[in-house]
Amino acid sequence: MAASEVADLDLTIDDLVPKTPEKLAEEKKESGNHLYKFKNYKGALAMYEESIKLCPENAAYYGNRSACYMMLGMYKKAVEDAQKAVALDATFTKGYIRMAKCCIALGDLSGAEQAITRATELGGADCALNEKRALESLRRLHEDAQNAMEANDHRRVVFCMDRCLEYSPSSSRAKLIKAECLAMLGRCQEAQEIANDSLRFDSFDTEAIYVRGLCLYFEDKDEQAFKHFQQVLRLAPDHRKAIETYKKAKLLKQKKEEGNEAFKMGQWQQALHLYNEALTIDKNNRKVNAKLYFNKATVCAKLNQTREAADACTAALELDENYVKALLRRAKCYTELGEFEEAVKDYERLYKIDKTKENKQLLHEAKIALKKSKRKDYYKILGIEKTASDDDIKKAYRKRALVHHPDRHANASDNERREQEKRFKDVGEAYGVLSDPKKRARYDHGQDLDDDGSGVGDLDPNVVYQTFFRGGVDPQFNFSHGGFPGHGFSFQFG
């Protein structure tokens, strides 16, 4: 080809000379640097890979690809390239700094320390300062987390691991420590998601398998949990936590089942003993312990230990605030104990969780019971049952009225006279209501008697008394001072 033809093609002599691998590699590297500058990391990665293929012994190319992997969050590959770079060039300071960054991101504190030490030897005391500070912070956080774990302060551990993950976003260890503590706090769904993410990268990650087993155990899925613990122990026979938790899980299941069997056999005291034993096995298993406390409450109810049953339900609800069965039983216990306001609160909470007709009716009945409890108990005042007949009511009134009539206590102290006058008035009021079928029906249904204008609170006990004894002197009546019932009493009662 003539020189003039070469000029027409706008080519230089260099274009006609075949390029060496080194030259081509440099061109690829420059193209990669350009793409990296504009944050096209995937494109840059492809260019650096071509450079390495052309010149596999060039440390800088591995260093560049390491930086690219870092920007893509692929820290394991990044640290491998950084290690190759310094293996090729032991004086490659940037390679050690990148290695330190990757180790920190992966949570490898020992590897980070070694890389920082070497970078400092090559670049001086001011080299890798950011990495030094990050490493110091991570060490403090891990130490704090360790102390918190020993103190069973799982919330603090989660906080520390979240801070660690700001420095070490790819630390599997930090993620799984956090997941374990989330499970301990009852946040099993979050814990399982973290464990599942780890298992997608490594299906034999024993810590992730252990966390999944722990979550299943805390969700009362015994058989599935056992399989996970067994798998962990096949892969790591000395896994201390898996051994301990597996033993607890089996013992807890055994005691719970023994308690249930004793309950079915009607052996209430034995069942109570077994449930109490089971509750001491693992304080962290909130769901199972909530069920155990409810079972304990059921046994206490069978033993007529109403207060103890209510307390056991409270313990269950502290572990599971939406435990409907425990809420219902505690409400019934409060009703039996006469703590009607607490019963209404529980029925309101129950209806809020489960808006059924049955729960609405229970709430309505509880409110009536509360209203009744705030009124005078006329049946109690007369000393009769709620099923008392008209004759029973008359007999009871006759007896109580004679006992509390002020004339009988004329010589008593002022305080005693006032107390007897009050009781006499209450007896008259009780008789005035219970002897009237309509008023009694309204009273029994918890309705306000003043709504019908009957003015129960204004009943004059003297009038009631005189009306009752109008037929003459009662043969059982015998005032010590010679008074006669129904003959012009004029006492004024407050």
Side-chain angles (χ1 to χ4, degrees):
M1 183 182 292
S4 59
E5 291 176 333
V6 173
D8 289 340
L9 291 172
D10 196 23
L11 297 173
T12 65
I13 295 299
D14 289 342
D15 293 320
L16 299 176
V17 178
K19 294 181 180 178
T20 63
E22 291 78 11
K23 189 173 182 63
L24 284 171
E26 277 296 306
E27 288 179 1
K28 296 293 182 183
K29 184 198 77 171
E30 290 302 323
S31 296
N33 289 349
H34 179 76
L35 292 168
Y36 185 95
K37 182 179 179 181
F38 288 96
K39 300 183 179 180
N40 183 353
Y41 302 119
K42 288 185 177 179
L45 186 64
M47 292 296 102
Y48 296 144
E49 285 176 348
E50 291 194 31
S51 295
I52 290 171
K53 287 178 183 177
L54 291 164
C55 292
E57 302 301 315
N58 189 306
Y61 297 162
Y62 287 102
N64 287 4
R65 191 169 72 174
S66 175
C68 210
Y69 277 134
M70 286 171 63
M71 299 309 295
L72 291 168
M74 302 166 70
Y75 293 104
K76 285 187 178 180
K77 289 191 173 184
V79 76
E80 289 172 2
D81 271 358
Q83 289 168 342
K84 287 178 183 176
V86 298
L88 292 168
D89 182 359
T91 64
F92 188 27
T93 306
K94 283 185 178 179
Y96 287 109
I97 293 174
R98 287 192 182 122
M99 192 188 303
K101 288 181 184 292
C102 291
C103 287
I104 287 170
L106 291 165
D108 179 4
L109 305 193
S110 177
E113 182 179 18
Q114 292 176 17
I116 290 169
T117 299
R118 184 60 180 145
T120 303
E121 290 172 354
L122 294 169
D126 294 335
C127 190
L129 285 177
N130 289 337
E131 289 70 34
K132 286 179 187 176
R133 283 192 284 266
L135 181 59
E136 289 170 3
S137 296
L138 279 169
R139 279 180 171 155
R140 284 195 298 270
L141 287 166
H142 278 287
E143 184 178 349
D144 190 1
Q146 181 62 34
N147 293 334
M149 185 72 88
E150 290 172 2
N152 290 319
D153 186 354
H154 300 117
R155 293 185 188 280
R156 180 67 185 174
V157 179
V158 170
F159 170 79
C160 291
M161 289 303 102
D162 279 335
R163 292 291 309 281
C164 285
L165 288 167
E166 293 174 8
Y167 294 100
S168 308
S170 292
S171 173
S172 177
R173 177 169 176 263
K175 290 176 182 177
L176 290 170
I177 290 173
K178 175 184 175 180
E180 180 184 346
C181 290
L182 287 173
M184 293 290 189
L185 293 168
R187 295 160 63 180
C188 289
Q189 184 175 350
E190 296 171 68
Q192 285 209 45
E193 287 172 1
I194 294 171
N196 290 340
D197 284 341
S198 293
L199 289 168
R200 275 192 280 272
F201 291 102
D202 180 3
S203 60
F204 296 102
D205 187 329
T206 54
E207 293 304 317
I209 298 169
Y210 168 70
V211 169
R212 280 186 60 177
L214 192 64
C215 292
L216 290 165
Y217 165 54
F218 287 158
E219 290 173 345
D220 199 18
K221 297 176 181 177
D222 292 329
E223 295 306 321
Q224 294 178 56
F226 292 166
K227 289 178 182 178
H228 279 71
F229 296 142
Q230 290 162 0
Q231 185 180 0
V232 172
L233 295 174
R234 280 196 296 270
L235 295 168
D238 296 327
H239 196 291
R240 181 178 57 82
K241 288 185 177 179
I243 293 170
E244 291 176 358
T245 308
Y246 189 24
K247 285 181 179 178
K248 281 184 181 179
K250 289 195 292 185
L251 182 59
L252 185 58
K253 182 182 181 183
Q254 177 191 333
K255 289 296 179 183
K256 182 176 67 173
E257 289 179 348
E258 287 176 0
N260 292 346
E261 187 61 29
F263 181 85
K264 289 176 185 175
M265 298 294 290
Q267 299 169 351
W268 313 129
Q269 288 293 351
Q270 178 65 5
L272 186 60
H273 173 72
L274 289 164
Y275 290 142
N276 280 329
E277 272 193 1
L279 284 164
T280 66
I281 293 171
D282 190 353
K283 300 294 184 183
N284 293 311
N285 198 324
R286 299 171 66 86
K287 190 164 188 174
V288 173
N289 287 341
K291 291 180 179 180
L292 288 168
Y293 274 119
F294 174 73
N295 290 357
K296 178 179 176 179
T298 305
V299 174
C300 288
K302 292 285 187 182
L303 294 168
N304 295 318
Q305 298 174 359
T306 309
R307 172 57 65 191
E308 289 80 359
D311 291 343
C313 287
T314 297
L317 289 162
E318 286 173 354
L319 297 171
D320 182 356
E321 63 181 2
N322 293 321
Y323 198 163
V324 170
K325 288 182 179 179
L327 199 57
L328 180 59
R329 180 166 291 282
R330 188 174 71 173
K332 290 178 179 177
C333 288
Y334 282 147
T335 301
E336 290 177 23
L337 291 166
E339 298 175 12
F340 300 106
E341 289 186 2
E342 296 303 317
V344 167
K345 288 178 185 177
D346 275 357
Y347 281 123
E348 285 176 338
R349 188 169 156 191
L350 178 65
Y351 184 62
K352 187 176 181 181
I353 295 170
D354 187 16
K355 289 183 168 60
T356 63
K357 289 183 179 179
E358 292 80 2
N359 290 339
K360 186 176 183 180
Q361 180 61 27
L362 288 170
L363 174 58
H364 174 68
E365 291 171 0
K367 286 181 176 178
I368 290 175
L370 173 60
K371 193 171 184 180
K372 287 181 178 180
S373 72
K374 292 184 176 180
R375 304 175 309 172
K376 294 175 183 177
D377 187 339
Y378 293 145
Y379 291 101
K380 186 175 180 181
I381 289 169
L382 292 181
I384 56 177
E385 299 294 328
K386 292 184 179 180
T387 55
S389 66
D390 289 344
D391 285 343
D392 292 332
I393 293 169
K394 289 177 182 179
K395 289 177 182 177
Y397 173 69
R398 177 185 293 111
K399 179 180 177 181
R400 298 287 172 133
L402 295 176
V403 168
H404 299 297
H405 196 289
D407 274 6
R408 174 163 284 179
H409 305 281
N411 297 324
S413 66
D414 290 344
N415 287 340
E416 177 64 18
R417 281 203 308 273
R418 280 194 293 271
E419 176 63 24
Q420 294 301 326
E421 288 169 1
K422 179 181 179 299
R423 292 187 180 186
F424 182 65
K425 180 179 179 181
D426 287 344
V427 168
E429 188 177 308
Y431 178 73
V433 170
L434 300 183
S435 63
D436 184 317
K438 290 184 178 179
K439 289 178 182 177
R440 183 179 181 182
R442 289 176 61 81
Y443 175 79
D444 287 344
H445 286 87
Q447 297 175 5
D448 193 338
L449 297 177
D450 288 333
D451 288 347
D452 63 0
S454 61
V456 171
D458 297 327
L459 280 174
D460 187 335
N462 289 300
V463 172
V464 175
Y465 186 86
Q466 291 173 17
T467 302
F468 184 85
F469 286 105
R470 188 174 294 152
V473 178
D474 188 271
Q476 299 180 47
F477 189 74
N478 181 22
F479 289 121
S480 60
H481 63 285
F484 291 92
H487 288 265
F489 292 106
S490 58
F491 298 103
Q492 297 298 317
F493 305 114

